[in-house]
Amino acid sequence: MTLGEDINLEREIQKAALLDWGHRVLFAICCAAPPPLPSLEGSAFGLWLNHKGSLLFPGPFGLEPIKIAMRKIDHVTIPALLADAPPKPVQIYELQAQIEEIRFLMDNLFRTSEARESGRDPLTCTLNRRFLPTILSREVTQAMRREVPFSVLMLDIDHFKSVNDTFGHTCGDRVLRGVAEKIVSACRASDFIFRYGGEEFLIALVEIDMDEAFRIAERIREMVSDASTDSFGVKVTVSIGVATFDGHPDYTHLIEDADKALYKAKDLGRNKSVAL
């Protein structure tokens, strides 16, 4: 909770720092202040981004688009503003648009960080796969100790690669979010929904036997299949494998059974639920 609060505070501080830099630059332009104008990279925001931000958002893809936008402002937009006296309104609007783009990218980074810290996949808001071993191990232990049923669904979006290739990743993301929403609406609050892979979801149904698990799988499959094209942007179907706890103490055994059932559903032509 403390980490979440710190992230929220950091986001507001850096948004304010970016806004402050923009105001100072625009004020200098309006007052015809002599060059050089303050650079974004040398500002409080730029220093934070290059040093502390790199620790907060590690990896090659997180900060790079923001750094590219920052360099463009410092080395293209600002020199163009100084070359024209007075600068044209369109140049001012371009600078404001670039600042807004950086703010938007920063918001996305912070939201992604918050989602990861909360254990959820940033795109679908389902549980992150890294928590799957802990949760499934506990549920298997519960099923053994209390002698209650426990079932797992392995769901795969049919032909998802062709959706990305044909309609683009924006459409693909919309499909993933839409399918996740259908799964959530078909399950209970006590169930666990994981983003298992790129287009795969794993659903852990607590105290649910094989027959009921298959009915839930069919409900999800039909809800996705019946959704209008407007909901997803493209016709979508899913294949689902169903497996029920058989006493084996290793949770991976249950996942393997669900995976085998899923492959059988695909072999039968997809848009099917199969139980083992």
Side-chain angles (χ1 to χ4, degrees):
M1 185 172 65
T2 301
L3 181 59
E5 289 173 353
D6 288 346
I7 285 178
N8 285 328
L9 177 61
E10 197 75 65
R11 171 168 52 189
E12 295 308 312
I13 290 173
Q14 297 315 316
K15 284 170 64 177
L18 177 63
L19 188 63
D20 177 67
W21 177 85
H23 286 163
R24 287 192 294 112
V25 168
L26 291 173
F27 181 78
I29 292 170
C30 291
C31 295
L37 293 178
S39 71
L40 181 53
E41 192 166 16
S43 69
F45 172 80
L47 292 173
W48 174 89
L49 188 78
N50 283 323
H51 296 277
K52 197 172 182 180
S54 298
L55 297 175
L56 190 58
F57 306 113
F61 304 108
L63 291 178
E64 193 55 33
I66 300 175
K67 290 181 177 180
I68 291 172
M70 186 166 64
R71 288 193 291 267
K72 182 179 180 181
I73 287 176
D74 281 345
H75 299 293
V76 178
T77 307
I78 294 296
L81 283 167
L82 293 174
D84 293 331
K88 300 179 180 66
V90 66
Q91 293 174 306
I92 302 295
Y93 292 140
E94 182 182 356
L95 175 60
Q96 290 177 316
Q98 290 171 342
I99 293 172
E100 180 62 23
E101 179 189 5
I102 291 176
R103 188 201 64 78
F104 175 77
L105 292 171
M106 286 295 299
D107 273 347
N108 277 346
L109 272 181
F110 275 105
R111 279 198 297 269
T112 299
S113 179
E114 288 172 356
R116 284 174 179 162
E117 290 301 329
S118 69
R120 294 196 176 274
D121 171 62
L123 178 63
T124 63
C125 294
T126 55
L127 291 171
N128 193 301
R129 181 174 173 172
R130 66 190 176 103
F131 294 101
L132 188 147
T134 301
I135 292 174
L136 260 62
S137 293
R138 185 190 64 183
E139 291 304 323
V140 165
T141 300
Q142 287 260 40
M144 293 174 65
R145 181 172 60 83
R146 298 177 52 223
E147 297 183 351
V148 293
F150 174 48
S151 297
V152 164
L153 311 181
M154 185 72 80
L155 179 149
D156 183 81
I157 301 174
D158 296 329
H159 304 297
F160 184 73
K161 185 179 184 300
S162 66
V163 172
N164 274 334
D165 292 344
T166 305
F167 301 99
H169 289 279
T170 300
C171 179
D173 287 351
R174 186 165 59 248
V175 167
L176 284 167
R177 285 193 296 266
V179 169
E181 289 170 2
K182 300 298 183 187
I183 296 171
V184 170
S185 65
C187 294
R188 306 162 300 169
S190 56
D191 300 323
F192 298 94
I193 304 166
F194 298 89
R195 175 101 178 264
Y196 191 72
E199 65 271 20
E200 285 188 323
F201 295 87
L202 186 143
I203 304 104
L205 303 172
V206 300
E207 301 193 25
I208 290 288
D209 62 17
M210 175 64 79
D211 290 341
E212 183 59 25
F214 185 80
R215 281 193 287 270
I216 293 171
E218 278 292 275
R219 183 157 67 242
I220 294 170
R221 186 189 64 77
E222 290 170 0
M223 288 172 66
V224 172
S225 180
D226 292 344
S228 66
T229 304
D230 293 338
S231 300
F232 295 119
V234 62
K235 179 62 178 175
V236 178
T237 62
V238 297
S239 300
I240 306 175
V242 185
T244 298
F245 175 65
D246 60 1
H248 198 292
D250 187 351
Y251 73 89
T252 61
H253 177 77
L254 185 58
I255 293 178
E256 289 170 1
D257 283 348
D259 207 37
K260 291 176 185 175
L262 171 62
Y263 275 96
K264 187 172 181 181
K266 291 180 179 181
D267 288 342
L268 291 173
R270 293 183 168 83
N271 192 23
K272 297 184 184 302
S273 301
V274 169
L276 287 183

